[in-house]
């Protein structure tokens, strides 16, 4: 069950990142985050009300709140790092995020077997290569590296926090709602500051209403990914769940190949293959 839900997480996150990347070509990235997360929060609020999830409120929601506040910081740091570039360095470096939940799992006493250790190492290497690492060319700014490390630490911390935010299905809905509400609050505050500094919130032609379904998909896919990851981490080793869930860059690269006809570089194809081998080792180990 852990492998199945963790792989579902990587699929959902990969497609959400792909959709978010396309949308940022039409409107500012911060607006994409705020609008998509607002839609997700509204849907989750309705689900919580319908299922009576408010009865599950308890101390564990602090984990969800923390995850919701850290998430936007990590995401904005990642976007800024990508803007500074080169993306071929920034994107693979962000895979260091998996170190946080894996470290938490080891601290809590998990001891993966030799086959699983091999699978972890191969899968992480495959994900890094799937990002198309840039091994030569323009120098990398220290600020870009620092922002990427901040983003990786933030993403990994969200991984660890959301896994502790609930123990029941209805509680998970409530935790995800709290996380999304905090996302909207944090992202909204950042958007307000950006507007005060003169940054545009929307394209010149106004809100692209035709993009609302895509924005909803990005927000809901991200929510669903957090949910499936929480389930995976609760029903199996966190070390395995975190690594399998971190395969989402491979999904994003394959989506770009399938929908945009972007050609995969040889190093990306090799990375995807290694990620697949690591997945098999983790699932069977």
């Amino acid at each position: 069950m852990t492998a199945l839900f963790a792989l579902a997480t990587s699929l959902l996150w990969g497609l959400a990142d792909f959709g978010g990347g396309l949308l940022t070509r039409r409107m500012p990235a911060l607006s994409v985050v705020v609008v998509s997360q607002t839609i997700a929060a509204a849907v989750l609020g309705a689900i919580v009300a319908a299922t009576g999830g408010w009865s599950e409120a308890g101390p564990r929601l602090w984990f969800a709140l923390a995850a919701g506040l850290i998430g936007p910081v990590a995401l904005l740091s990642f976007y800024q790092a990508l803007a500074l570039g080169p993306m071929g360095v920034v994107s693979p470096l962000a895979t260091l995020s998996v170190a946080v939940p894996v470290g938490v799992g080891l601290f809590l006493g998990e001891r993966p077997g030799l086959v699983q250790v091999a699978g972890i190492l191969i899968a992480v290497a495959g994900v890094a290569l799937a990002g198309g690492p840039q091994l030569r060319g323009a120098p990398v700014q220290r600020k870009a590296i620092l922002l990427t490390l901040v983003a990786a630490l933030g993403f990994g911390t969200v991984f660890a926090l959301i896994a502790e935010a609930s123990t029941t299905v209805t509680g998970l809905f409530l935790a995800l709602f709290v996380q999304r509400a905090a996302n909207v609050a944090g992202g909204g505050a950042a958007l307000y500051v950006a507007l005060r500094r003169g940054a545009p919130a929307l394209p010149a032609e106004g809100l692209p209403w035709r993009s609302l379904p895509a924005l909803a998909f990005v927000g809901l896919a991200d929510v669903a990914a957090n949910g499936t990851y929480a389930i995976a981490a609760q029903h199996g080793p966190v070390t395995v769940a975190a690594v399998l869930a971190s395969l989402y860059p491979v999904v994003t690269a394959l989506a770009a190949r399938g929908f945009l006809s972007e050609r995969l570089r040889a190093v990306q194809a090799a990375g995807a293959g290694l990620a697949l081998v690591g997945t098999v080792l983790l699932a069977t180990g």
Side-chain angles (χ1 to χ4, degrees):
M1 178 179 286
T2 295
L4 179 62
F5 279 98
L7 289 173
T9 300
S10 64
L11 175 63
L12 290 165
W13 263 330
L15 293 177
D17 283 354
F18 174 72
L22 288 181
L23 286 167
T24 53
R25 298 180 181 182
R26 308 175 194 173
M27 56 191 298
L30 188 53
S31 297
V32 171
V33 172
V34 172
V35 175
S36 63
Q37 296 304 309
T38 299
I39 295 173
V43 172
L44 279 169
I47 293 175
V48 169
T51 59
W54 297 111
S55 62
E56 298 288 339
R60 283 182 174 269
L61 287 183
W62 289 110
F63 291 110
L65 179 62
L69 293 175
I70 292 172
V73 175
L75 194 58
L76 291 176
S77 297
F78 188 54
Y79 282 155
Q80 290 177 5
L82 288 173
L84 292 172
M87 292 187 183
V89 173
V90 171
S91 182
L93 189 59
T95 59
L96 291 174
S97 62
V98 74
V100 176
V102 168
V104 170
L106 294 175
F107 177 77
L108 293 177
E110 293 183 3
R111 294 296 180 266
L114 290 179
V115 173
Q116 289 181 319
V117 170
I120 289 173
L121 296 176
I122 293 173
V124 172
V127 171
L129 292 176
Q134 182 173 314
L135 304 178
R136 62 184 66 181
V140 185
Q141 296 185 39
R142 290 184 179 180
K143 184 177 180 181
I145 295 178
L146 178 60
L147 286 170
T148 304
L149 293 177
V150 169
L153 177 62
F155 290 145
T157 302
V158 170
F159 265 46
L161 289 171
I162 201 62
E164 300 295 328
S166 68
T167 56
T168 64
V169 174
T170 53
L172 179 58
F173 284 133
L174 179 59
L176 293 175
F177 171 73
V178 170
Q179 181 192 14
R180 284 302 169 272
N183 276 347
V184 173
L191 182 59
Y192 175 77
V193 171
L195 290 174
R196 290 293 299 270
R197 293 180 177 178
L202 296 172
E205 63 273 14
L207 179 65
W209 293 101
R210 293 183 178 179
S211 298
L212 283 181
L215 287 164
F217 171 79
V218 169
L220 294 174
D222 185 48
V223 165
N226 279 266
T228 53
Y229 175 73
I231 294 172
Q234 291 169 3
H235 290 82
V238 173
T239 48
V240 173
V243 173
L244 291 179
S246 72
L247 297 178
Y248 60 89
V250 178
V251 176
T252 302
L254 293 177
R257 176 69 179 89
F259 291 100
L260 302 180
S261 298
E262 291 185 2
R263 297 185 62 182
L264 291 179
R265 295 164 53 191
V267 67
Q268 289 178 294
L274 284 176
L276 178 60
V277 172
T279 299
V280 172
L281 291 175
L282 281 168
T284 59

